[in-house]
């Protein structure tokens, strides 16, 4: 890219204060655009989820009647109570209207507001995903940096192992980890969420490892590749030719530049953990959003499914926005108002 | 007085697909302090490799024989700290492509001051002040603003000036300029060469200047070395090279250039293709393309013959051919 392709504002940039102000404006623009995008995405997602639930076999009535045969009148009354007798589009609009008023509806299954259900199940999932994200960042980067900076037998073995681990699905990892560390070694509990506080964190360690294992391997491989590539970069050769200390060159030129691609993909991978948590929660019988989602889908508890899915979609988009923001801070060639130029 | 840089019998092999390939073949030359020496050759003739070997920037697994002495010290004996001192204070490299040789996420100011701050322990404020002065030296007068910009916000010519400023910042005794103007357009090239030449003379630095442009080498260097297939074929005073080449390859190069004073229908070309050092035949590497080649040229690698007071040539027939190389080379004759 030549200087002519740079926006005029970049050439006319005056004081650093001016630059900061421009950055702040761009960040605000980005956040506003992302917020609009988020609402649009949530709206489309809610239609898709509703449609899918409607098309799938089964009905909440099965749960409401507890499988007993009931008189047609009683069924009609139930249907009326839960608005199941209305046309599908109207049911959707009724829900949408409620959402616009801040009411996400009431669970057919639990007779509890969706908001309070999310509040009671959310924290477990949040802790699980955050723990996994920490593992992904810490171990993924540790493995990648080691393998990237110290080529050799150890690095090659680690990378080969990482390739194998990447192919292991979370539910398989969960079963194997439970068998080894919970059943045979007895280091960790087999399932459950414990009594809150540190005990809960302790209970969630094994699930978090199961959830993050493939991502750790993926981020590790990616970091290794990014570092190797950066080591060969011309500008690193410049730094070496200037007699700068090795550690300085590594820190300031290799790791700093390799961080950019790694950050993007690691962020997306962590966002993907949200979806993976559903499976892991099932295997470890954690009472989080994932378990609640599975139960609700099975029972066609529409308001709850909608609520949880919207939380997932929102979390994904928010994470993506954060990645973009971080990227524009790390790479001066990327304007804060978007990743493309 | 002994030379600042002595290269003696340098042979370099690089690992390619598991085997070692020759890239430099018996390269020897000396460079006095404060002098400029041109290294001219086609792509793959070993110009960059020579300079990289001097800066100890060879890839891992490279096999090096011979000696490179800088101020009497063998460069290959330098270890860690001594090597860092050598790179940070004695020699300084200017690369061909300033865009890829500057870190895209660091500001120009960082690039200019990091060597001063880290190697020279100069305080940040003082380093910045010196960097701005240096930018003025290379003709960049809004230095304070440029210091805050990123490489992608500067044009190629500006960035190469920054690169030159960064290289001379440490006042090295030897500048290694690896085709510093090849990536620039012609007018920018002239400006940048002017700046580089002026700084080299003012600061009294020696310079090893790599180019594939015979004219440019002649204009900016006291002496010129012509490389072919990883080996030196000729060394002469730059201003004599053009009128009295010693080696048939140099003569052919001189003839293959257009002359501004004469109209030519078709420029004489050198038949055949350039050869890499590792594909070169036994004997003289240029023999297959040489119109003066005899059987004995193909027998053994010819020695570099010194011609007193003039230079050196790696041609067995230097003495008998001298003065006749430029005569009578029509297109037909050459392309036979």
């Amino acid at each position: 890219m030549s200087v002519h392709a740079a926006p005029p504002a970049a050439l006319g940039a005056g004081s650093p204060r001016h630059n900061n102000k421009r950055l702040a404006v761009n960040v605000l623009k980005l956040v506003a655009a992302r917020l609009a995008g988020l609402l649009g995405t949530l709206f489309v997602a809610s239609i898709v989820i509703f449609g899918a639930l409607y098309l799938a076999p089964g009905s909440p009535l099965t749960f409401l009647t507890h499988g007993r045969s009931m008189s047609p009148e009683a069924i009609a009354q139930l249907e009326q109570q839960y608005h199941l007798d209305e046309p599908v589009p109207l049911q959707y609009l009724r829900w949408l209207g409620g959402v616009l008023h801040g009411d996400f509806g009431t669970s057919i299954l639990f007779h509890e507001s969706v908001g309070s259900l999310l509040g009671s199940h959310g924290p477990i999932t949040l802790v699980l995903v955050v723990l996994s994200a920490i593992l992904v960042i810490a171990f993924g980067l540790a493995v990648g940096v080691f393998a990237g900076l110290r080529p050799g037998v150890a690095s090659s073995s680690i990378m080969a192992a990482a390739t194998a681990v990447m192919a292991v699905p979370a539910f398989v990892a969960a079963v194997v980890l439970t068998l080894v560390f919970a059943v045979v070694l007895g280091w960790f509990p087999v399932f459950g969420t414990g009594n809150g506080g540190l005990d809960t964190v302790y209970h969630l360690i094994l699930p978090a490892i199961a959830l993050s294992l493939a991502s750790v391997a993926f981020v590790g491989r990616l970091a290794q590749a990014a570092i190797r590539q950066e080591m060969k970069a011309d500008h690193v050769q410049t730094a070496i030719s200037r007699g700068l200390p090795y550690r300085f060159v590594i820190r300031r030129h290799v790791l700093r530049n390799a961080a950019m691609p790694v950050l993007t993909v690691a962020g997306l991978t962590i966002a993907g953990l949200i979806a993976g948590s559903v499976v892991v929660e099932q295997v470890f019988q954690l009472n989080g959003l994932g378990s609640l989602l599975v139960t609700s889908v099975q029972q066609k508890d529409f308001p709850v499914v909608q609520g949880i899915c919207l939380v997932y979609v929102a979390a994904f988009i928010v994470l993506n926005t954060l990645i973009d923001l971080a990227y524009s801070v790390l790479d001066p060639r990327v304007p804060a108002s978007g990743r493309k130029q | 007085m002994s030379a600042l840089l002595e290269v003696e019998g340098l042979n370099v092999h690089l690992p390619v697909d598991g085997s070692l390939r020759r890239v430099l073949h018996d390269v020897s030359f000396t460079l006095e302090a404060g002098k400029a020496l041109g290294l001219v050759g086609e792509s793959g003739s070993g110009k960059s490799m020579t300079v990289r070997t001097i800066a100890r920037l060879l890839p891992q697994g490279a096999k090096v024989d011979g000696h490179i002495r800088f101020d009497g010290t063998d460069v290959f004996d330098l270890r860690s700290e001594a090597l860092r001192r050598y790179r940070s204070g004695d020699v300084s490299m200017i690369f061909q492509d300033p865009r890829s040789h500057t870190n895209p996420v660091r500001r120009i100011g960082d690039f200019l001051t990091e060597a001063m701050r880290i190697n020279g322990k100069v305080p940040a404020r003082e380093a910045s002040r010196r960097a701005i002065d240096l930018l003025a030296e290379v003709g960049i007068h809004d230095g304070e603003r440029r210091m805050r910009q990123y490489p992608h916000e500067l044009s190629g010519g500006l960035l190469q000036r920054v690169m030159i400023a960064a290289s001379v910042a440490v006042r090295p005794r030897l500048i290694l300029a690896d085709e510093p103007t090849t990536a620039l357009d012609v007018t920018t090239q002239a400006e940048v060469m002017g700046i580089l030449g002026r700084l080299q003379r003012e600061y009294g630095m020696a310079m090893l200047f790599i180019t594939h442009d015979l004219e440019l080498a002649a204009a900016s260097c006291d002496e010129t070395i012509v490389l072919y297939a990883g080996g030196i074929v000729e060394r002469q005073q730059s201003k004599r090279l053009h009128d009295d080449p010693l080696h048939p390859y140099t003569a052919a190069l001189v003839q293959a250039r257009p002359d501004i004073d004469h109209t030519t229908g078709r420029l004489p070309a050198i038949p055949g293709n350039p050869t890499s050092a590792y594909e070169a035949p036994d004997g003289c590497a240029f023999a297959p393309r040489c119109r003066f080649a005899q059987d004995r040229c193909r027998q053994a690698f010819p020695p570099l013959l010194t011609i007193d007071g003039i230079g050196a040539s790696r041609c067995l027939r230097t003495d008998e051919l001298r003065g006749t190389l430029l005569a009578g080379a029509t297109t037909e004759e050459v392309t036979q």
Side-chain angles (χ1 to χ4, degrees):
Chain A
M1 185 171 58
S2 81
V3 66
H4 308 291
L11 285 173
S15 63
R17 220 170 66 208
H18 180 90
N19 281 337
N20 288 341
K21 201 170 149 192
R22 204 182 66 218
L23 184 69
V25 169
N26 282 338
V27 166
L28 277 182
K29 271 189 202 160
L30 172 71
V31 171
R34 284 309 165 98
L35 214 57
L38 173 65
L39 292 177
T41 312
L42 288 178
F43 176 67
V44 174
S46 72
I47 293 179
V48 171
I49 296 158
F50 187 91
L53 272 183
Y54 172 73
L55 289 174
S59 154
L61 279 180
T62 321
F63 171 78
L64 290 172
T65 59
H66 300 284
R68 291 166 300 178
S69 50
M70 292 174 81
S71 66
E73 295 79 31
I75 290 177
Q77 201 200 336
L78 272 175
E79 285 190 333
Q80 205 184 354
Q81 188 190 339
Y82 291 100
H83 307 289
L84 296 172
D85 54 343
E86 291 173 355
V88 178
L90 194 64
Q91 289 187 38
Y92 176 75
L93 285 179
R94 179 184 297 282
W95 172 81
L96 191 63
V99 168
L100 291 180
H101 290 97
D103 174 14
F104 284 82
T106 307
S107 163
I108 300 173
L109 239 65
F110 303 102
H111 300 287
E112 212 182 320
S113 83
V114 171
S116 77
L117 276 174
L118 293 180
S120 60
H121 290 76
I124 291 291
T125 303
L126 184 69
V127 173
L128 175 64
V129 171
V130 168
L131 266 181
S132 305
I134 292 171
L135 293 178
V136 169
I137 300 281
F139 288 97
L141 291 188
V143 166
V145 168
F146 172 79
L149 294 181
R150 302 234 188 293
V153 182
S155 301
S156 310
S157 323
I158 290 174
M159 284 302 111
T163 312
V165 168
M166 265 164 66
V168 178
F171 65 88
V172 175
V175 172
V176 173
L177 286 172
T178 311
L179 191 65
V180 176
F181 293 100
V183 177
V184 176
L185 295 172
W187 292 353
F188 293 100
V190 177
F191 60 83
T193 51
N195 310 318
L198 279 180
D199 191 42
T200 299
V201 173
Y202 172 59
H203 273 76
L204 287 178
I205 287 177
L206 213 48
I209 293 174
L211 178 56
S212 62
L213 207 54
S215 303
V216 167
F218 180 55
V219 169
R221 278 199 66 95
L222 190 85
Q224 183 256 5
I227 288 169
R228 288 274 170 88
Q229 197 186 345
E230 211 56 50
M231 290 284 272
K232 282 187 280 183
D234 287 341
H235 70 85
V236 171
Q237 197 175 46
T238 313
I240 293 171
S241 81
R242 299 168 104 188
L244 295 167
Y246 176 76
R247 298 178 73 91
F248 178 86
V249 175
I250 293 297
R251 200 176 64 236
R252 216 174 145 81
H253 294 291
V254 175
L255 295 184
R256 168 68 174 72
N257 290 45
M260 296 186 292
V262 174
L263 173 93
T264 314
V265 179
L268 287 174
T269 310
I270 289 169
L273 293 178
I274 298 171
S277 68
V278 175
V279 175
V280 171
E281 283 181 22
Q282 282 296 101
V283 176
F284 287 95
Q285 296 177 32
L286 306 175
N287 205 12
L289 288 182
S291 299
L292 181 62
L293 178 68
V294 172
T295 318
S296 311
V297 168
Q298 279 163 354
Q299 306 296 344
K300 297 264 170 166
D301 195 346
F302 166 69
V304 180
V305 175
Q306 280 289 45
I308 295 173
C309 287
L310 295 189
V311 167
Y312 282 174
V313 172
F316 198 90
I317 295 176
V318 166
L319 262 173
N320 257 315
T321 308
L322 289 178
I323 297 164
D324 279 0
L325 278 176
Y327 202 92
S328 66
V329 169
L330 276 182
D331 191 341
R333 292 165 297 179
V334 178
S337 49
R339 213 181 290 179
K340 295 177 231 59
Q341 189 179 357
Chain B
M1 184 187 118
S2 79
L4 180 68
L5 180 73
E6 284 175 274
V7 177
E8 195 186 305
L10 189 64
N11 282 289
V12 175
H13 291 79
L14 290 186
V16 180
D17 301 330
S19 64
L20 284 175
R21 280 187 181 177
R22 179 190 287 283
V23 289
L24 288 183
H25 195 174
D26 191 26
V27 172
S28 303
F29 62 88
T30 54
L31 175 58
E32 306 279 328
K35 296 280 187 189
L37 174 63
L39 280 183
V40 183
E42 302 166 58
S43 308
S45 60
K47 330 183 276 288
S48 284
M49 267 309 147
T50 307
V51 163
R52 266 154 215 263
T53 312
I54 293 168
R56 287 276 305 267
L57 285 175
L58 287 177
Q60 278 205 326
K63 181 172 159 287
V64 182
D65 302 305
H67 296 283
I68 295 178
R69 285 187 209 90
F70 184 89
D71 207 7
T73 312
D74 198 317
V75 168
F76 294 110
D77 289 342
L78 297 175
R79 291 285 169 269
S80 57
E81 267 309 298
L83 178 61
R84 283 216 307 112
R85 270 200 305 278
Y86 168 67
R87 283 171 173 166
S88 62
D90 292 334
V91 298
S92 186
M93 191 126 172
I94 301 173
F95 294 93
Q96 176 177 351
D97 181 1
R99 185 86 50 210
S100 71
H101 278 279
T102 43
N103 188 340
V105 304
R106 294 281 176 205
R107 292 176 197 273
I108 298 298
D110 284 334
F111 180 71
L112 282 168
T113 58
E114 70 176 1
M116 284 190 259
R117 284 184 293 111
I118 305 299
N119 292 332
K121 305 269 179 270
V122 179
R125 190 179 289 269
E126 166 71 8
S128 291
R129 201 187 52 71
R130 276 198 222 169
I132 291 169
D133 290 348
L134 277 165
L135 286 178
E137 288 257 349
V138 296
I140 300 174
H141 295 290
D142 49 354
E144 231 164 300
R145 179 166 75 91
R146 297 294 182 192
M147 294 277 284
R148 281 193 305 272
Q149 288 188 314
Y150 289 97
H152 73 277
E153 295 173 296
L154 269 62
S155 68
L158 269 182
L159 206 54
Q160 191 58 293
R161 293 188 203 195
V162 169
M163 184 71 105
I164 291 171
S167 297
V168 302
V170 292
R171 298 287 176 113
R173 295 156 76 191
L174 171 62
I175 291 257
L176 303 170
D178 187 358
E179 304 206 37
T181 59
T182 306
L184 309 177
D185 62 62
V186 180
T187 39
T188 317
Q189 177 174 326
E191 280 170 23
V192 168
M193 275 319 297
I195 291 164
L196 187 56
R198 179 171 53 78
L199 290 176
Q200 183 249 326
R201 284 187 301 275
E202 272 176 22
Y203 291 8
M205 302 177 290
M207 175 165 76
L208 204 53
F209 179 74
I210 292 188
T211 178
H212 54 245
D213 186 337
L214 215 51
E215 300 288 324
L216 194 60
S220 38
C221 301
D222 308 296
E223 276 192 294
T224 300
I225 284 176
V226 180
L227 286 164
Y228 184 79
I232 293 178
V233 294
E234 170 161 357
R235 170 176 189 163
Q236 251 211 101
Q237 294 267 316
S238 295
K239 44 181 182 285
R240 295 181 55 94
L241 199 70
H242 189 273
D243 302 323
D244 186 18
L246 299 173
H247 193 281
Y249 174 62
T250 318
L253 282 184
V254 168
Q255 285 172 326
R257 291 171 315 105
D259 190 331
I260 202 162
D261 298 323
H262 298 95
T263 313
T264 315
R266 180 183 279 266
L267 287 170
I270 306 176
N273 292 313
T275 323
S276 308
Y278 76 96
E279 317 170 308
D282 292 340
C284 173
F286 187 61
R289 306 172 70 188
C290 181
R291 65 191 178 113
F292 303 105
Q294 295 174 336
D295 277 347
R296 60 180 176 134
C297 298
R298 301 181 188 97
Q299 306 289 317
F301 189 64
L304 191 64
L305 300 171
T306 308
I307 296 151
D308 286 335
I310 306 279
S313 165
R314 197 184 291 280
C315 179
L316 295 173
R317 303 183 64 194
T318 304
D319 285 332
E320 62 180 290
L321 291 174
R322 200 170 156 215
T324 66
L325 285 171
L326 291 178
T330 64
T331 312
E332 287 72 33
E333 215 177 319
V334 172
T335 50
Q336 263 170 14

